[in-house]
Amino acid sequence: MQRLMGATRRARVLGIGAQAGTHAGAPAGAGPGEDDGTAVVLTEVWRRYGDGPGAVAALRGITVGLPRGRLTCVMGPSGSGKSTLLQCAAGLDRPTSGSVQVGGVELTARTEEELTVLRRERLGFVFQAFNLVPFLTAEQNVGLPLRLAGTRVDRARVRTTLASVGLADRAGHRPAELSGGQQQRVAIARALVTAPEVVFADEPTGALDTGSAREVLSLLRRSVDALGQTVVMVTHDPVAASYADTVLFLADGLIVDALDRPDAAAVAARMTRLERS
Ligand SMILES: Nc1ncnc2c1ncn2[C@@H]1O[C@H](COP(=O)(O)OP(=O)(O)OP(=O)(O)O)[C@@H](O)[C@H]1O
Ligand SMILES: [Mg+2]
């Protein structure tokens, strides 16, 4: 249904400036192995780096299902495996063992070329450092996933997506001519333009001031509430986590806790406990 939704509707319902959506119907999280309502399924995922005495196990047997049409946050102390988890879930890294399914597709069985196509066509990415192409305009950056997919770039779709993040009047600007918050909004438009199965975001507000961070979080939240987008976000910030439907807490490569409909104070309290233990 989401894939059939026109760009105009996506733009209209995202409409920047409105309040963040409500946290409707927070999930308990679909069980692993069930595809129904589950966008991403990890089963017994291990990721080890190196061999011998210096080996590090960044993920130690993670099994979790991430629900479709929800914003799931991943938190945990530095080095707990958050980025590794996101990269394995998004097909940017390969688990040492275990299974990762996205939209019913088993990633670990795919070749590098197949993964590249799958990421391009079915996933969206937002990074802390924005990762825009410096010599392309905002509009060209947003159109890039469509261009790479080899389809004719639908300019109206690109423009409405850019408008949906409040940047209709910055279409011709290059990244260096935009503020950090504006650059991240371009990156979000670029992630959303293909109506991907899942948007993965690693610390999307890590480089932003409080006001810009709130705008970015509201946009991600609204993409979930209004468009049914699935978003998986890593963050250090309990306030950012409070925009999620569910927060998963990682420690030493394992999910040790989860909070539904979190508020910032409860998230901060759990993080303090984790960092002390
Ligand atoms: N390429 C690598 N080679 C070796 N060890 C790695 C590599 N990447 C990550 N690690 C190790 O794996 C563990 C998990 O790293 P990861 O980057 O997933 O943590 P994180 O929770 O995202 O941390 P942060 O909050 O600092 O971003 C760490 O101990 C890290 O040192
Ligand atoms: Mg990280």
Side-chain angles (χ1 to χ4, degrees), residues 78-79 81-84 128 202-203 234 236:
S78 185
K82 302 181 295 294
S83 294
T84 308
Q128 179 171 347
D202 196 350
E203 311 239 15
V234 166
H236 270 112

Side-chain angles (χ1 to χ4, degrees), residues 2 19 33 38 47 56 72 100 120 138 140 245 249 264 268 270:
Q2 172 197 336
Q19 293 299 306
T38 312
R47 178 63 168 103
V56 175
T72 303
V100 179
R120 198 165 65 205
Q140 288 166 337
D245 294 296
F249 293 89
R270 295 221 183 178

Side-chain angles (χ1 to χ4, degrees), residues 24-78:
E34 296 166 26
D35 183 45
D36 201 20
T38 312
V40 183
V41 181
L42 281 78
T43 311
E44 271 298 308
V45 169
W46 284 77
R47 178 63 168 103
R48 295 188 190 83
Y49 292 107
D51 304 300
V56 175
L59 301 177
R60 300 191 293 136
I62 300 257
T63 296
V64 70
L66 307 179
R68 184 167 292 134
R70 296 285 188 256
L71 172 48
T72 303
C73 243
V74 180
M75 292 198 86
S78 185

Side-chain angles (χ1 to χ4, degrees), residues 42-173:
L42 281 78
T43 311
E44 271 298 308
V45 169
W46 284 77
R47 178 63 168 103
R48 295 188 190 83
Y49 292 107
D51 304 300
V56 175
L59 301 177
R60 300 191 293 136
I62 300 257
T63 296
V64 70
L66 307 179
R68 184 167 292 134
R70 296 285 188 256
L71 172 48
T72 303
C73 243
V74 180
M75 292 198 86
S78 185
S80 58
K82 302 181 295 294
S83 294
T84 308
L85 176 65
L86 199 82
Q87 302 229 331
C88 285
L92 287 163
D93 188 14
R94 281 185 191 276
T96 310
S97 63
S99 142
V100 179
Q101 288 182 14
V102 177
V105 176
E106 175 59 54
L107 300 193
T108 51
R110 306 279 141 184
T111 64
E112 284 308 317
E113 291 71 27
E114 287 171 335
L115 280 181
T116 302
V117 173
L118 186 134
R119 284 196 304 264
R120 198 165 65 205
E121 293 182 351
R122 300 183 63 174
L123 306 178
F125 295 91
V126 181
F127 300 97
Q128 179 171 347
F130 321 137
N131 294 12
L132 298 175
V133 181
F135 52 84
L136 296 182
T137 64
E139 183 176 341
Q140 288 166 337
N141 267 286
V142 175
L144 198 57
L146 303 173
R147 221 167 103 189
L148 291 173
T151 51
R152 192 185 64 81
V153 176
D154 179 346
R155 282 195 80 189
R157 179 182 181 133
V158 170
R159 294 218 155 189
T160 46
T161 310
L162 205 47
S164 77
V165 299
L167 293 174
D169 57 344
R170 295 288 191 279
H173 290 231

